[in-house]
Amino acid sequence: MAVGTSHPVAESFTRQGYVIVDVLDEPEHRHLEQCIADRLKEIARKELPGDDIAFGPLSEYHRLSVPDEAHRRMMGPNNRRLFLTPQDQRMVLNDRVAPIFDHHWGHHQVMMMDLWEGKQVEGVCGFRVVRPGSRDVSGIHSESSYGVFPVTIWIPIVGFDERCTLKLAPGSHAIPHPPEAIQRNDQFVARCYADEYVRGFQFIRPIMRAGQAIVFHPNLLHGGSDNQGEATRVSVEIRVYEANGNS
């Protein structure tokens, strides 16, 4: 696609601050789900040595005998990370999302990258496992509040309706959010905005299906996505940066 060429997906991203894209086919979705299941077992062996946990489907994780404190450690920022192979990275950063990067950066020479033990590492993405009824999620924030500006690809793996999907404020990306509206919160890594500030925005939780992703702008307000469903919710979050490092 030529730079500057109009594309409906890219235009929706620019106008609303997010767009829902069919990113994965069914086998690819199952593959990503298996990658998370394998990583979760690896984390459990580290955090619960000697415990023989009989893992089943990810949707049934909440039925396992994992103590709350152990679950919090397992879902800590250094644990809930996943290394994707170059092939898996290409699987996600495909032609269906490339028009967004073309429109946003003027090219689609990009890479996925996230924190690993305090450093940004290429090929790393995050994932979340949230038990039903849990509010163990970060509050409303934007990625730009950290001084970084990735485009994020949020992929639901388990949980696709408005009880489970990402909570976001359409159009909020177009507003410069004041740093003084960020409140101190030692419970989460996210730099969350105060309730009195976010009350001025209208939030939605889109209904989605397997294989779809929400691709959103770095300045979009999102978060506070507690699991109101009856099964464990699982999602992947992929931060995409310009490959030349100018994001």
Side-chain angles (χ1 to χ4, degrees), residues 10-243:
E11 289 179 351
S12 181
F13 172 86
T14 301
R15 183 176 64 256
Q16 301 183 108
Y18 81 98
V19 65
I20 296 175
V21 182
D22 293 314
V23 172
L24 305 176
D25 60 27
E26 185 177 345
E28 291 170 339
H29 182 271
R30 289 199 305 268
H31 172 70
L32 197 53
E33 183 175 6
Q34 187 60 53
C35 289
I36 295 171
D38 292 343
R39 174 61 179 151
L40 198 59
K41 293 173 186 176
E42 179 184 343
I43 297 168
R45 286 194 295 269
K46 181 182 76 170
E47 296 295 344
L48 296 165
D51 287 14
D52 187 16
I53 299 176
F55 280 90
L58 289 177
S59 60
E60 299 295 317
Y61 168 84
H62 59 284
R63 300 188 185 278
L64 300 176
S65 56
V66 177
D68 288 348
E69 180 55 36
H71 173 73
R72 282 191 287 271
R73 292 199 309 271
M74 290 172 65
M75 289 298 103
N78 286 328
N79 271 336
R80 56 175 188 83
R81 295 288 186 253
L82 189 67
F83 282 99
L84 294 187
T85 66
Q87 181 179 351
D88 288 344
Q89 293 176 51
R90 290 191 295 271
M91 177 183 77
V92 177
L93 302 179
N94 57 38
D95 291 343
R96 300 169 188 173
V97 294
I100 298 170
F101 308 140
D102 278 322
H103 199 75
H104 186 64
W105 283 310
H107 61 83
H108 54 264
Q109 303 303 311
V110 298
M111 61 182 178
M112 57 171 286
M113 189 166 59
D114 213 329
L115 287 174
W116 181 268
E117 296 183 348
K119 297 180 180 179
Q120 291 278 13
V121 177
E122 186 175 353
V124 173
C125 66
F127 71 93
R128 295 180 187 270
V129 177
V130 182
R131 295 172 294 182
S134 171
R135 298 190 61 84
D136 190 20
V137 293
S138 58
I140 303 297
H141 62 284
S142 69
E143 303 310 313
S144 60
S145 68
Y146 304 98
V148 295
F149 304 94
V151 170
T152 300
I153 303 175
W154 185 89
I155 306 174
I157 301 299
V158 180
F160 306 99
D161 63 24
E162 66 275 11
R163 301 173 301 169
C164 302
T165 58
L166 184 68
K167 182 179 177 181
L168 55 86
S172 60
H173 69 300
I175 298 171
H177 307 300
E180 58 269 23
I182 297 173
Q183 63 181 358
R184 180 186 175 94
N185 188 333
D186 296 330
Q187 184 179 0
F188 300 109
V189 174
R191 303 184 70 204
C192 304
Y193 290 99
D195 290 344
E196 54 267 28
Y197 179 70
V198 301
R199 274 197 291 267
F201 297 88
Q202 184 174 356
F203 287 82
I204 64 169
R205 299 183 78 167
I207 297 175
M208 303 174 68
R209 62 177 182 271
Q212 289 188 321
I214 299 175
V215 185
F216 64 87
H217 191 279
N219 204 44
L220 187 80
L221 293 180
H222 65 282
S225 308
D226 53 316
N227 182 2
Q228 300 174 7
E230 297 174 356
T232 294
R233 187 193 83 198
V234 183
S235 60
V236 175
E237 51 206 29
I238 295 170
R239 314 293 182 203
V240 183
Y241 295 84
E242 286 188 279

